[in-house]
Amino acid sequence: MNRKLIIGTRGSVLAMWQANFVKDRLQEIGIEAELKVIKTQGDIIQHLRLDKLEGKGFFTKELEEELLNGTIDLAVHSHKDLPTINPPGLIIAAVSEREDPSELLIIHKDCVDIKKRLSLKHNATVGTSSNRRKAQISALRPDLEFDDLRGNLQTRMQKLRDDEQYDAIVLAKAGISRIEMDITDFHVEEIPPVEIIPAPAQGVLAIQIREVDKELFTALQPLNNNEVAKTIAVERLVLNKFDAGCHAPLGCYCRKSGDEYEAWASIADTSEDFPDRVYLRDTDPTRLAERIFSKYAKDRKLPQSVFISREVDENSYFARAMAKHNITIEGRSLIKIFPIINKLDPFILKHVDWIIFSSKNGIEHFFNLEPRLSKKTKIGVIGRGSEEILRKYDRVADFSGDSEGINMDEIAKKFAELANGGTVLIPRAKESLETIQKALSPETKIINIPVYETVLEEDVDPSNAEVLVFTSPSNVEAYFADNLLEPGQKVICIGRSTGAKFDEMNVPYTLPYSPDEIGLSEAVFGLEY
């Protein structure tokens, strides 16, 4: 390409970083370019909430107009800001690799309470103008208050530092990482995209050009990440089907997992509404988007009743998710749990590098022994539910397997990469599986301590609920000692070892992505009828 290109961009520090990133990539393939800064409606109007601005392209419209007028050759956008349909005459020629789409909750250090989920004190005020973030965060922490927050990254951080109305703010990790913003004077909670589902295409850059510029389209293909394009196409198709803009309380996240694509969606009517979440897998990304959309149809069938083999707090996430759709819950444990030991050897604890918990019961029975842990001892947990229980004992997990979902082999492998060569203490149930132990290297010293055991209840009454949720293999054994599965009942299992019991019975079941209340809610709403 002989001509020097003109790149249109907004003028914020982040937008300039993004435009210069593309400029440098172009230079690597022998194409010269210069930048032109263009102000957009979203930059100019700062006194209104995002959902009060007209249209869906308030951060992109002016750049697109200059493209159509021929005053610039390409525009660089944060892909999440773009409407799902390009204006006539414009196309997306390339998308970047994806920066981590996690959210960051940035908290004043005097507002931290690690015993609470997200490490934020009770009744704290969170700054964000995103209805998607408000809906999902308030579902996790109903006590929190929200206050609108506008401006570029520097402005928002300055407001957190100077304005006493905010105890914390929420920002996308991608932007903070790209401009290497220093936030070390705050406590930072990183929230993975499988917990707070991001905006469609969050963390991805889009390069937009005129459709007739075939030469430029061809020249830009070395910059295009085809795999990212496939995954965000799922997210943006979901956004398109709901006819929603970036101010809508809708999150969607898709990623490749082996030969399949897996996707999460969170959709609410308003920022005050409890969101409905769904998790689905499919080999065809286009079909995956269609299936997600069908789960939110007004006339779709949902169960009227759910049995779960443990007691359920009416204020819990799962209970509130079910109550929204008038789904009754029958919660009762089918086992009794007893401690095995009443004392820990302080000498053993002194030399432990890692403690890894595979269940909430393991955490509770271990800490009931009032262990005195060395400051160097790190703690790992399996899943968000265990991570939340650990916080009650004033500890935050140094490793959490939630990003790997239900794949215990993969979780064990990730943990082994951190713990191999040291001393690992594993408080566990008597006769539990030893997946983590098997993944650790021979050089690793493993200390197995059974801290509790389970005893099955006798004469368990059957449930007539449409969905049966089993939380452990022991609960399965107790229930089916005297009962059979009724026609039409569907089964959800927490954990692969629980599912293995149904494999033995040749009964189909659903495994939630994560063994916690969010994953369980997703599984119920994802059931096929």
Side-chain angles (χ1 to χ4, degrees):
M1 177 168 285
N2 296 324
R3 74 184 197 263
K4 186 175 184 179
L5 300 176
I6 300 176
I7 301 173
T9 177
R10 296 167 60 199
S12 70
V13 174
L14 178 58
M16 294 294 287
W17 183 97
Q18 293 172 168
N20 278 302
F21 173 81
V22 172
K23 179 184 175 184
D24 292 344
R25 292 290 306 277
L26 287 170
Q27 190 169 15
E28 290 172 6
I29 59 175
I31 300 175
E32 293 296 316
E34 63 183 45
L35 306 186
K36 180 179 180 179
V37 176
I38 301 164
K39 281 194 172 183
T40 69
Q41 180 189 23
D43 298 314
I44 297 168
I45 303 174
Q46 290 288 320
H47 64 283
L48 293 178
R49 279 174 26 194
L50 294 181
D51 56 358
K52 297 301 181 184
L53 292 174
E54 292 187 5
K56 298 177 184 174
F58 38 79
F59 288 120
T60 61
K61 182 181 177 183
E62 287 76 9
L63 277 75
E64 292 173 333
E65 288 175 348
E66 296 229 15
L67 259 181
L68 290 168
N69 293 335
T71 52
I72 60 175
D73 297 296
L74 66 152
V76 179
H77 304 282
S78 290
H79 209 327
K80 67 182 179 66
D81 292 337
L82 284 170
T84 56
I85 298 176
N86 281 290
L90 299 182
I91 59 170
I92 303 302
V95 300
S96 70
E97 60 269 25
R98 188 169 209 166
E99 191 70 54
D100 186 343
S102 298
E103 307 279 17
L104 297 183
L105 183 62
I106 306 169
I107 309 170
H108 277 294
K109 288 185 176 178
D110 59 356
C111 298
V112 172
D113 183 352
I114 65 170
K115 289 188 177 182
K116 294 189 176 296
R117 192 162 196 166
L118 305 179
S119 295
L120 191 54
K121 72 178 185 179
H122 188 71
N123 285 341
T125 298
V126 179
T128 179
S129 290
S130 165
N131 289 327
R132 170 186 60 83
R133 288 168 175 158
K134 289 176 186 176
Q136 293 189 67
I137 293 173
S138 61
L140 296 175
R141 288 284 306 275
D143 59 294
L144 297 179
E145 302 289 337
F146 294 91
D147 210 334
D148 287 311
L149 179 67
R150 288 286 315 280
N152 59 39
L153 289 181
Q154 287 77 9
T155 300
R156 296 184 192 196
M157 285 305 305
Q158 199 60 44
K159 286 182 178 179
L160 178 61
R161 288 188 170 96
D162 298 341
D163 194 335
E164 294 182 358
Q165 74 188 87
Y166 305 114
D167 298 312
I169 64 173
V170 191
L171 298 174
K173 182 182 178 183
I176 298 293
S177 299
R178 282 172 175 150
I179 66 173
E180 299 179 341
M181 178 177 282
D182 183 10
I183 52 175
T184 54
D185 50 332
F186 296 95
H187 176 88
V188 180
E189 285 280 309
E190 181 174 327
I191 313 173
V194 297
E195 185 170 358
I196 297 296
I197 302 173
Q202 184 162 306
V204 180
L205 304 183
I207 302 175
Q208 191 178 41
I209 67 171
R210 289 180 292 277
E211 191 172 10
V212 296
D213 201 340
K214 306 297 185 184
E215 180 189 22
L216 180 54
F217 179 88
T218 301
L220 288 171
Q221 291 319 290
L223 275 62
N224 185 49
N225 190 309
N226 190 52
E227 196 53 60
V228 169
K230 288 181 181 178
T231 56
I232 65 171
V234 174
E235 301 167 13
R236 287 173 59 76
L237 182 54
V238 171
L239 186 69
N240 176 263
K241 284 183 171 296
F242 284 95
D243 192 28
C246 61
H247 60 270
L250 179 152
C252 190
Y253 174 56
C254 178
R255 67 187 184 191
K256 188 79 177 291
S257 177
D259 295 329
E260 291 186 306
Y261 292 86
E262 53 184 2
W264 292 258
S266 171
I267 301 174
D269 291 332
T270 68
S271 62
E272 288 79 30
D273 185 38
F274 194 96
D276 290 330
R277 292 178 56 126
V278 68
Y279 164 74
L280 296 173
R281 300 172 68 97
D282 208 307
T283 54
D284 182 345
T286 302
R287 185 170 59 219
L288 185 56
E290 296 284 352
R291 287 178 60 203
I292 289 172
F293 183 65
S294 71
K295 294 300 178 185
Y296 294 93
K298 297 294 185 184
D299 59 350
R300 69 157 296 198
K301 178 175 170 29
L302 285 170
Q304 294 182 333
S305 56
V306 174
F307 163 84
I308 180 169
S309 62
R310 63 169 171 79
E311 295 181 358
V312 177
D313 184 338
E314 64 180 10
N315 296 314
S316 67
Y317 186 100
F318 179 62
R320 288 180 290 131
M322 297 300 104
K324 177 182 175 181
H325 296 278
N326 299 314
I327 300 171
T328 61
I329 300 175
E330 177 190 352
R332 51 188 166 100
S333 179
L334 311 180
I335 59 176
K336 293 180 179 179
I337 299 174
F338 299 97
I340 293 177
I341 60 175
N342 55 24
K343 188 177 181 180
L344 290 167
D345 186 342
F347 179 78
I348 291 177
L349 296 179
K350 186 177 180 181
H351 297 89
V352 167
D353 298 300
W354 277 93
I355 302 174
I356 179 76
F357 296 100
S358 59
S359 71
K360 293 187 271 189
N361 285 325
I363 295 172
E364 290 174 338
H365 281 81
F366 178 77
F367 280 98
N368 284 345
L369 297 170
E370 299 182 349
R372 298 183 64 181
L373 301 179
S374 167
K375 290 184 178 179
K376 73 179 183 69
T377 302
K378 296 181 178 180
I379 297 180
V381 297
I382 309 301
R384 295 188 294 254
S386 293
E387 190 172 4
E388 189 173 355
I389 292 294
L390 183 63
R391 288 180 181 273
K392 294 180 180 179
Y393 297 96
D394 218 15
R395 295 294 299 252
V396 175
D398 299 284
F399 168 84
S400 177
D402 61 356
S403 62
E404 308 303 331
I406 57 177
N407 192 334
M408 273 298 297
D409 291 331
E410 192 62 31
I411 292 171
K413 180 181 175 182
K414 294 286 186 184
F415 175 71
E417 291 173 2
L418 298 173
N420 273 341
T423 299
V424 180
L425 174 66
I426 307 179
R428 59 182 179 84
K430 184 180 180 181
E431 299 178 353
S432 64
L433 296 178
E434 297 190 0
T435 306
I436 294 172
Q437 291 89 325
K438 293 172 183 175
L440 295 169
S441 68
E443 296 79 24
T444 305
K445 183 178 179 181
I446 302 172
I447 305 173
N448 278 305
I449 300 183
V451 292
Y452 71 96
E453 64 178 336
T454 58
V455 177
L456 308 187
E457 293 276 15
E458 297 180 356
D459 300 322
V460 172
D461 292 330
S463 172
N464 295 321
E466 296 168 70
V467 179
L468 305 182
V469 180
F470 292 95
T471 55
S472 72
S474 299
N475 276 290
V476 178
E477 292 177 13
Y479 187 88
F480 288 99
D482 299 303
N483 304 305
L484 296 174
L485 200 65
E486 295 181 6
Q489 284 184 320
K490 294 184 179 294
V491 174
I492 295 175
C493 294
I494 303 296
R496 291 188 182 276
S497 59
T498 308
K501 293 293 182 181
F502 287 94
D503 290 331
E504 295 171 6
M505 294 186 283
N506 199 29
V507 171
Y509 58 90
T510 296
L511 278 175
Y513 172 77
S514 56
D516 63 358
E517 296 206 346
I518 295 178
L520 182 53
S521 302
E522 291 171 344
V524 171
F525 290 117
L527 289 171
E528 302 286 352
Y529 284 93

